[in-house]
């Protein structure tokens, strides 16, 4: 099973709202990722967690706050977002061996619209 | 730095036509190479991968061969179907520092018409 699940599928929020995106995998992977994808563009890496510790933060604004409560779950907390943050947010996971051969498996994404 | 260049398209083909999407890369070291596919409104799915020179990845009729001498990983399919309409991303990954980072090409949109 190579499934990564994400909820919700769609989210509409105002600029003053607080919301969270959730991601789950049961493949025993110890690396989990958040990506942001704008229309007609490739995904852009936001955060990487390895063994539940934040290992990469690609200079993402603080209005995005990641959390990895356990090895299977990854959250992205959203607060005071801007309309330009509207995008598809993708979660991915992989084994955490630090090898180029590790494959990242992606979830279906959450389509976020900020009004 | 590391980079991936792929033909941007869009590419429009008739059903049963032959498909080639070109992908070349620049990398320091020996990367693994991937093709991901994204169907409309969905996330990315791994299509195939190759981890060393001369490896051929294949899946669902798609193939790509890791060519170190030309730094290429072109995607091919002998006979496309309407259901192959999607955006295709070529990507590379390197071991060591930054090993968790995939470097993507810009994506190629394929439309297959009946």
């Amino acid at each position: 099973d190579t499934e990564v699940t994400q909820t919700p599928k769609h989210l509409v929020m105002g600029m003053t709202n607080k919301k969270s995106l959730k991601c789950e995998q049961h493949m025993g992977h110890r690396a989990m990722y958040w990506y942001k994808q704008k229309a007609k563009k490739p995904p852009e890496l936001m955060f990487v967690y390895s063994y539940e510790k934040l290992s990469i933060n690609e200079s993402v604004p603080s209005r995005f706050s990641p959390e990895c409560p356990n090895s299977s779950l990854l959250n992205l907390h959203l607060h005071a977002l801007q309309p330009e943050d509207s995008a598809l947010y993708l979660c991915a996971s992989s084994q955490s061996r630090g090898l180029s051969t590790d494959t990242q498996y992606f979830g279906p994404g959450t389509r976020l619209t900020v009004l | 730095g590391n980079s991936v260049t792929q033909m941007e398209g869009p590419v429009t083909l008739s059903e049963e036509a032959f498909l080639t999407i070109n992908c070349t890369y620049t990398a320091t070291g020996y990367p693994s190479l991937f093709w991901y596919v994204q169907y409309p409104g969905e996330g990315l799915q791994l299509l195939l991968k190759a981890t060393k020179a001369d490896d051929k990845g294949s899946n669902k009729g798609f193939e790509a061969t890791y060519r170190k001498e030309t730094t290429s990983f072109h995607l091919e399919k002998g006979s496309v179907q309407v259901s192959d309409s999607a955006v295709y991303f070529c990507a590379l990954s390197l071991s060591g520092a930054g090993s968790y980072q995939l470097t993507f090409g810009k994506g190629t949109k394929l439309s297959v018409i009946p």
Side-chain angles (χ1 to χ4, degrees):
Chain A
D1 182 13
T2 57
E3 187 177 28
V4 176
T5 59
Q6 290 187 244
T7 55
K9 192 171 175 61
H10 300 277
L11 179 62
V12 178
M13 60 186 292
M15 290 189 282
T16 58
N17 291 156
K18 285 186 181 181
K19 296 286 184 183
S20 296
L21 309 185
K22 296 186 185 301
C23 173
E24 189 167 5
Q25 57 87 14
H26 294 288
M27 295 179 276
H29 290 169
R30 302 307 294 272
M32 297 186 76
Y33 310 74
W34 281 115
Y35 288 85
K36 174 183 179 179
Q37 186 181 25
K38 300 285 275 185
K40 300 185 181 180
K41 298 289 186 183
E44 298 174 13
L45 184 64
M46 300 173 72
F47 303 103
V48 181
Y49 274 82
S50 178
Y51 291 90
E52 295 92 69
K53 288 187 170 42
L54 184 65
S55 62
I56 295 176
N57 177 342
E58 291 288 358
S59 302
V60 179
S62 60
R63 58 186 183 267
F64 295 92
S65 175
E67 178 197 20
C68 190
N70 61 54
S71 60
S72 301
L73 292 174
L74 184 67
N75 298 321
L76 186 63
H77 302 298
L78 314 173
H79 175 55
L81 294 194
Q82 303 297 309
E84 59 264 29
D85 296 322
S86 298
L88 181 68
Y89 288 83
L90 294 165
C91 175
S93 71
S94 72
Q95 292 179 311
S96 187
R97 301 173 300 179
L99 300 176
S100 67
T101 52
D102 289 344
T103 297
Q104 291 187 26
Y105 294 93
F106 286 80
T110 293
R111 175 75 60 188
L112 175 66
T113 302
V114 182
L115 301 176
Chain B
N2 305 317
S3 66
V4 174
T5 302
Q6 60 179 109
M7 53 191 289
E8 290 189 26
V11 174
T12 302
L13 295 173
S14 296
E15 208 164 21
E16 299 184 3
F18 185 85
L19 169 71
T20 299
I21 300 177
N22 290 336
C23 172
T24 58
Y25 68 89
T26 302
T28 51
Y30 302 96
S32 291
L33 301 172
F34 304 82
W35 277 101
Y36 282 88
V37 58
Q38 187 172 31
Y39 298 101
E42 297 185 11
L44 274 69
Q45 298 178 24
L46 177 69
L47 184 58
L48 52 85
K49 75 177 197 182
T51 59
K52 60 184 188 295
D54 300 325
D55 267 3
K56 178 187 280 189
S58 61
N59 185 27
K60 299 180 183 179
F62 291 90
E63 294 183 339
T65 301
Y66 188 139
R67 301 284 188 203
K68 185 164 174 269
E69 63 276 11
T70 54
T71 63
S72 65
F73 192 53
H74 304 321
L75 183 67
E76 296 182 336
K77 187 177 186 184
S79 176
V80 294
Q81 305 300 312
V82 171
S83 57
D84 295 326
S85 298
V87 179
Y88 292 81
F89 291 97
C90 184
L92 70 82
S93 175
L94 280 162
S95 292
S99 60
Y100 298 111
Q101 302 209 22
L102 279 171
T103 300
F104 286 97
K106 292 186 177 182
T108 302
K109 183 176 181 180
L110 171 66
S111 297
V112 180
I113 54 177

